[in-house]
Amino acid sequence: MATNMRKRVLLALLLVLAASVSGCGGGRGGEADGTTATSNGGQGLSGRIQADGSSTVGPFTTAAAERFRAVEPDVQVTVGVSGTGGGFERFCRGETDLSNASRPIKEEETKICEEGEIPYVEFQVANDALTVVVNKDNDWVDCLTVDQLKSIWEPGSKVGSWSDIDSSFPDVKLRLFGPGTDSGTFDYFTDEINGEEGASRSDYAASEDDNTTVTGVSGERGGLGYFGFSYFEENQDNLKALAIDGGDGCVTPSVKNAQNGTYTPLARPLFIYAKQESFERPEVEAFVSYILENETEIAEASQYVPLTTEQLEKAQGDFEAAVQKASG
Amino acid sequence: MSRGLKGGLFQLALLFSLGVGFLMLGTLLVDVFKDGLPYLDKKLLTDPPSTDPEIAGARPAIIATLYLGGLLLLLTVPIGVFTAIYLEEYANKTRWYNRLLEINIQNLAAVPSIVYGILGLAFLVRGLGLGRVLLAGAMILTLLVLPTVIIASREAIRAIPDSIRQGAYALGATQWQVVSRQVLPAAIPGIATGSILALSRAIGETAPLILIGAVTYISFDPTILGPFTALPIQIFSFLRLPQEEFKLLAAASIIVLLGILITLNAFAIWIRNRYRRTW
Amino acid sequence: MSTPAATARAEPQLRARRRRYSEDVVKGVLGLCALVSVATTVGIVIALFIPAFEFFQDISVVDFLTGTEWAPLFEPAHFGVLPLISGTLLVTAVAGALALPLGLGGAIYLSEYAGPRTRGVLKPALELLAGIPTIVFGYFALTFMTPLLRDIGIQVEVFNTLSAGIVMGVYLIPTVASLSEDAMGAVPRDLRDGAYALGSTKMQVATRVVVPAAVSGIIASFVLGISRAIGETMIVLVAMGQQPNLTLDPRAAAETMTAFIAATGAGDVPTGTLEYKTIFAVGATLFLMTFVMNIIAIRLVRKYREVYE
């Protein structure tokens, strides 16, 4: 046979060889920046943990996973962002170990989990101040009331320009961005603002990925969108957050206001749901334990609103109970 | 003379067309390189992605792309070449089913890549229950480029003069012997070129892999039966993040991808030139 | 090769004494491989049309094809596909307006005017450029073209059809140019020589002899270009947006069929729901569009093909 046949085989072999050799390198590298509390002390655990769900909570879990990798480098964590609803669907089919959620699990979803015989445990892992943002060049509004928000977002709304909201605003085209229907943020926002979960006008740029909303609002002078607080914090240079008047005056979204309850109605808890049976695996137990132990640090580093002391104690209590149940 | 003027203007217009095309493409490449080169460092190749652009890399994606490429060659080349052999050497071209086969392959070559993604989603991920794994991605990409490989292999086989075959038959060879010992070896350069070009097209594909579920945060090296994210998908993910640095990381990853593709294409062209035969 | 040549002494035996079963096995294996492509087509048809059929049990085809609002995931849901089709056609129109003339012009230059050395450099360069993945063009549209358009005063939105369309046109130029040049290169020299002998200028030869002679291949390249534009996903997904919009204004955001399929399919819509089936309904529509274009291309090629000796 000719030499060129050999060359082709060689190329194919080389490709596969290169892949497997680099594969043997292991998942090292990329230390989390200096905040690793323990770069030793890991138990040498291994295994795979699948998390999916909210794009609001996703970055939190991802940040936790990155830090966790420094302690347990052989535990592989994947984090998907299909939306809170999408995450629960996979969770209740048994496809994932952890479900990130920016709203509590719904009754219908609980039923599906029961049918699929997936008992679960709910952990509150952070707080959130759902933030309404506008473009940096928007100099005509600093605060909106809940009623104004409702007039913008309710189903069938024809508000197309800023001057429609308030005649003192300039006649700039209103460009709306926001999460899609699989998003817990969407569920929570529509519930609080429009009065019914899932009720919303449909002619806006909807995406399960909140980053699209960031890009959209920061690029349009008349842009307006909403997402979790961490997305605003990450992009403060390009966005402006509005204060929300829930009836008691304008309150700006902030860590303090989210924790002390004055940022109504858009302050909310963020959750991670775990399969009860996953706690039988040491790596899952270790990961959740790690999250709770380092919650404040993870939240602050990834710009989430950390839990209050009582909330943290409750979460840790729930964790102990779940571990007990698993080993019992 | 107005004839000369018109002709001159025409030529200028054509040159302009060509120039504009190349200029835009050139601008694209310069833009990518300008943005990406500063971010092209060892970290990109060795580190996994991160929410922190300072330490983010594209390692799992690069490895997955290499795996996909290897699997693709293993799957596509035998099936594609054998199909081409069947059509050129064995099939009775007057039979309706063989003509249908040819039309079928032509049609498949024109189907949008996302439809192959739908195919994979329906059958491999949900239907067969393979899940969102690398193997499913490789299989779908195989189906996507199979028509290209078949067509290229057929061209290569057809280019071989019949006299070669007749001579072998005259010496008493069986059909398979003629194919395996005369036709195939002579067609290898053409087949190799076609396969490598198909491979390079598959490596750049994003849409089908999106539907197979390659868009998640993966921090570890992929395995064949595990979750994965390929280089084009990683670029896509980087692009969706609003921080400026991620856009630059995307550019750097594009440079890596283009590097892989140029190497493959250059290799294919080299094979074609080196082993070009005249009969 | 073990069968000896028929000896001159005995009567030549033209059939082997015993059947070589291995030959049949070989033929079987080869045929099986050929069936893979058949299976692919069958798979595509099943994967697309069965769920699409189920979809149309719930949503009337008329509503689907004539409805002007596409909001399948909202309450109340709307299933009019026209915004998606208009998005696809609008971006294709922009891309085609750029790629077809420029591609053809470049091809004519390469084929009729460029010297063999120039052609030897430019043609492979074109083929190389035709291999750049579309995600790269998506990057270009988002980070370069949109800001550029805004800088020169065109008020485009962050996600818009114009950027995506222009960049898609750039993406298609190498394909159109390369295929058209192939078609023109296949025109025999005699035709050109004859025209020159009669005193034609280069321009006349190019436009009145070569292009008409190659028109079937050129049209095929156009149709292929348009078909690829229709089926393109990444450029539109990154740069055009995900807001279905029935409009002729390319400065606004819009959504194509392909972008919708990609965005919805990537998420986790549960299998079997109506929302899930929208992927297939739109996919079937897309498939039919490109399929019909392909048939048209084949027909056109056959109708206008000039046969040379």
Side-chain angles (χ1 to χ4, degrees):
Chain A
M1 279 211 243
T3 29
N4 33 24
M5 174 71 132
R6 250 180 271 151
K7 283 213 164 71
R8 251 188 345 122
V9 174
L10 205 62
L11 175 69
L13 280 179
L14 265 168
L15 281 173
V16 179
L17 199 67
S20 33
V21 159
S22 37
C24 290
R28 259 188 310 278
E31 308 284 334
D33 51 356
T35 53
T36 34
T38 41
S39 45
N40 55 1
Q43 305 162 47
L45 297 172
S46 68
R48 183 172 295 165
I49 305 179
Q50 291 238 53
D52 199 346
S54 163
S55 69
T56 304
V57 184
F60 176 87
T61 313
T62 305
E66 279 177 30
R67 284 164 167 72
F68 186 64
R69 200 158 28 91
V71 179
E72 301 285 353
D74 289 326
V75 179
Q76 302 176 341
V77 183
T78 58
V79 183
V81 283
S82 323
T84 304
F88 278 129
E89 268 141 21
R90 293 191 69 200
F91 185 68
C92 291
R93 287 204 295 263
E95 285 177 26
T96 55
D97 301 299
L98 303 174
S99 204
N100 300 320
S102 61
R103 58 151 170 84
I105 189 171
K106 289 195 246 194
E107 245 187 71
E108 312 100 72
E109 290 159 340
T110 311
K111 277 210 196 79
I112 301 178
C113 271
E114 276 166 18
E115 277 168 33
E117 285 172 29
I118 312 267
Y120 57 82
V121 188
E122 172 189 286
F123 295 100
Q124 183 181 352
V125 291
N127 289 306
D128 187 27
L130 209 163
T131 310
V132 177
V133 290
V134 292
N135 188 277
K136 252 260 121 98
D137 293 332
N138 180 326
D139 53 6
W140 56 83
V141 65
D142 288 308
C143 174
L144 282 178
T145 66
V146 171
D147 288 325
Q148 282 174 320
L149 278 177
K150 180 162 189 239
S151 72
I152 298 173
W153 285 99
E154 64 189 344
S157 162
K158 290 285 163 237
V159 173
S161 160
W162 278 93
S163 48
D164 294 337
I165 305 172
D166 185 316
S167 46
S168 68
F169 294 157
D171 185 20
V172 174
K173 197 137 179 254
L174 181 68
R175 287 247 148 258
L176 293 174
F177 299 86
T181 55
D182 240 352
S183 161
T185 309
F186 173 82
D187 291 332
Y188 189 85
F189 186 83
T190 50
D191 192 18
E192 293 294 327
I193 300 293
N194 292 337
E196 190 194 320
E197 200 174 85
S200 162
R201 72 192 286 175
S202 59
D203 58 340
Y204 67 97
S207 168
E208 298 309 333
D209 184 3
D210 293 319
N211 287 305
T212 314
T213 304
V214 174
T215 309
V217 176
S218 55
E220 294 290 342
R221 184 159 170 255
L224 180 141
Y226 65 92
F227 40 53
F229 184 62
S230 64
Y231 281 89
F232 167 66
E233 283 275 278
E234 284 266 352
N235 297 286
Q236 278 185 65
D237 305 330
N238 294 321
L239 294 170
K240 173 169 150 182
L242 294 182
I244 305 294
D245 184 353
D248 287 325
C250 294
V251 183
T252 49
S254 71
V255 172
K256 196 175 77 166
N257 292 339
Q259 282 182 337
N260 67 21
T262 53
Y263 185 70
T264 53
L266 295 178
R268 57 173 182 165
L270 298 179
F271 303 97
I272 292 184
Y273 287 76
K275 261 195 314 199
Q276 173 66 52
E277 68 182 18
S278 298
F279 280 109
E280 291 162 22
R281 289 161 40 207
E283 65 266 20
V284 180
E285 187 190 316
F287 184 51
V288 179
S289 157
Y290 182 84
I291 292 180
L292 292 176
E293 267 171 47
N294 300 287
E295 189 272 337
T296 314
E297 182 199 311
I298 299 175
E300 280 171 4
S302 45
Q303 292 168 317
Y304 281 78
V305 179
L307 296 172
T308 61
T309 333
E310 302 112 47
Q311 290 169 333
L312 189 55
E313 277 172 9
K314 171 166 190 308
Q316 279 172 330
D318 292 335
F319 173 65
E320 317 265 310
V323 171
Q324 277 274 23
K325 211 162 152 202
S327 51
Chain B
M1 215 159 73
S2 76
R3 238 171 153 219
L5 185 62
K6 233 187 355 168
L9 283 175
F10 183 65
Q11 184 170 354
L12 214 61
L14 294 181
L15 196 54
F16 178 72
S17 311
L18 194 65
V20 165
F22 273 108
L23 184 70
M24 293 208 202
L25 289 161
T27 313
L28 172 106
L29 291 173
V30 164
D31 184 52
V32 167
F33 272 83
K34 192 171 55 98
D35 288 341
L37 223 40
Y39 277 77
L40 188 65
D41 54 17
K42 188 169 148 302
K43 215 180 350 108
L44 188 71
L45 301 176
T46 56
D47 289 355
S50 161
T51 47
D52 178 359
E54 289 298 310
I55 56 174
R59 179 196 161 99
I62 296 177
I63 295 182
T65 294
L66 292 174
Y67 266 135
L68 280 174
L71 279 176
L72 196 78
L73 277 181
L74 286 174
L75 290 173
T76 316
V77 172
I79 301 181
V81 173
F82 284 168
T83 307
I85 293 176
Y86 174 79
L87 281 172
E88 288 298 314
E89 302 287 328
Y90 284 80
N92 183 341
K93 302 249 175 92
T94 56
R95 294 284 164 83
W96 65 270
Y97 47 82
N98 286 320
R99 268 184 302 165
L100 196 62
L101 194 59
E102 292 187 334
I103 297 180
N104 183 40
I105 293 172
Q106 271 187 321
N107 278 330
L108 283 178
V111 169
S113 59
I114 192 144
V115 174
Y116 283 95
I118 298 181
L119 180 66
L121 179 70
F123 279 108
L124 296 180
V125 173
R126 303 241 169 139
L128 269 186
L130 257 186
R132 306 163 147 203
V133 296
L134 197 107
L135 185 59
M139 289 168 74
I140 282 307
L141 290 179
T142 302
L143 293 180
L144 177 68
V145 299
L146 200 56
T148 315
V149 173
I150 294 176
I151 293 174
S153 305
R154 287 188 71 185
E155 297 284 321
I157 292 176
R158 230 183 280 167
I160 297 167
D162 225 23
S163 46
I164 306 274
R165 296 182 184 82
Q166 299 298 338
Y169 282 126
L171 291 171
T174 66
Q175 196 171 15
W176 177 241
Q177 286 170 335
V178 171
V179 168
S180 61
R181 301 191 198 194
Q182 294 299 325
V183 176
L184 208 46
I188 279 184
I191 293 177
T193 311
S195 309
I196 294 177
L197 289 177
L199 173 68
S200 82
R201 172 167 169 216
I203 283 184
E205 278 294 335
T206 325
L209 296 181
I210 290 185
L211 288 191
I212 309 257
V215 200
T216 49
Y217 164 80
I218 307 259
S219 63
F220 47 87
D221 297 341
T223 56
I224 294 187
L225 286 177
F228 71 109
T229 184
L231 198 49
I233 302 267
Q234 186 63 67
I235 296 171
F236 177 59
S237 302
F238 279 154
L239 275 180
R240 304 222 295 189
L241 299 172
Q243 289 97 332
E244 268 308 300
E245 296 104 326
F246 277 117
K247 296 214 168 46
L248 304 173
L249 273 173
S253 309
I254 290 178
I255 298 179
V256 174
L257 181 63
L258 288 177
I260 298 179
L261 292 178
I262 290 186
T263 314
L264 284 176
N265 278 340
F267 189 54
I269 294 180
W270 175 79
I271 291 184
R272 179 167 64 185
N273 290 339
R274 167 102 159 77
Y275 293 98
R276 186 200 301 270
R277 262 156 110 160
T278 41
W279 300 97
Chain C
M1 297 209 250
S2 52
T3 316
T7 58
R9 295 164 244 141
E11 201 174 86
Q13 220 171 4
L14 294 172
R15 187 167 294 162
R17 242 165 281 121
R18 58 183 166 79
R19 198 175 164 80
R20 278 214 177 193
Y21 288 107
S22 56
E23 289 291 309
D24 294 327
V25 168
V26 165
K27 190 167 183 186
V29 167
L30 295 180
L32 226 64
C33 286
L35 283 182
V36 169
S37 67
V38 177
T40 310
T41 307
V42 170
I44 290 180
V45 169
I46 293 182
L48 282 182
F49 288 98
I50 292 189
F53 184 67
E54 288 171 14
F55 175 84
F56 286 120
Q57 306 289 78
D58 291 330
I59 310 289
S60 86
V61 181
V62 179
D63 282 344
F64 181 71
L65 291 176
T66 59
T68 58
E69 212 182 313
W70 181 257
L73 302 173
F74 284 92
E75 293 294 323
H78 294 278
F79 292 95
V81 81
L82 283 185
L84 293 183
I85 294 188
S86 91
T88 303
L89 291 181
L90 190 61
V91 77
T92 303
V94 175
L98 192 71
L100 300 185
L102 290 185
L104 183 58
I108 297 178
Y109 185 85
L110 268 184
S111 163
E112 303 301 312
Y113 287 80
R117 246 186 334 170
T118 330
R119 201 179 314 140
V121 164
L122 290 183
K123 188 96 201 284
L126 267 183
E127 288 185 15
L128 215 65
L129 291 171
I132 299 181
T134 52
I135 182 75
V136 180
F137 288 93
Y139 168 87
F140 188 57
L142 188 67
T143 62
F144 185 86
M145 191 52 70
T146 303
L148 179 69
L149 288 174
R150 287 181 158 188
D151 283 343
I152 65 177
I154 306 182
Q155 284 303 106
V156 290
E157 302 180 15
V158 177
F159 299 113
N160 67 88
T161 309
L162 191 59
S163 287
I166 294 179
V167 169
M168 197 188 287
V170 176
Y171 162 65
L172 290 173
I173 288 179
T175 308
V176 173
S178 197
L179 286 176
S180 299
E181 200 271 340
D182 282 342
M184 287 187 275
V187 173
R189 277 200 63 180
D190 321 1
L191 284 166
R192 292 184 186 81
D193 291 344
Y196 283 126
L198 291 170
S200 314
T201 63
K202 227 175 186 168
M203 174 173 143
Q204 286 170 329
V205 171
T207 56
R208 299 197 201 180
V209 177
V210 179
V211 166
V215 80
S216 75
I218 292 176
I219 292 198
S221 81
F222 282 6
V223 175
L224 179 69
I226 293 185
S227 184
R228 285 182 104 182
I230 291 180
E232 219 303 290
T233 311
M234 294 322 295
I235 303 179
V236 295
L237 190 57
V238 170
M240 208 165 129
Q242 280 166 240
Q243 192 175 351
N245 192 0
L246 185 59
T247 177
L248 282 178
D249 182 1
R251 299 169 306 168
E255 189 172 38
T256 61
M257 293 185 278
T258 50
F260 170 75
I261 296 174
T264 312
D268 250 299
V269 199
T271 323
T273 59
L274 191 62
E275 293 81 19
Y276 181 67
K277 291 184 201 157
T278 56
I279 300 177
F280 302 94
V282 177
T285 315
L286 176 70
F287 179 74
L288 282 174
M289 278 178 80
T290 49
F291 186 71
V292 164
M293 295 225 75
N294 199 34
I295 301 275
I296 293 179
I298 295 180
R299 281 271 164 83
L300 278 173
V301 167
R302 242 183 252 152
K303 185 169 172 197
Y304 289 105
R305 181 198 293 273
E306 307 278 340
V307 182
Y308 308 107
E309 2 74 50

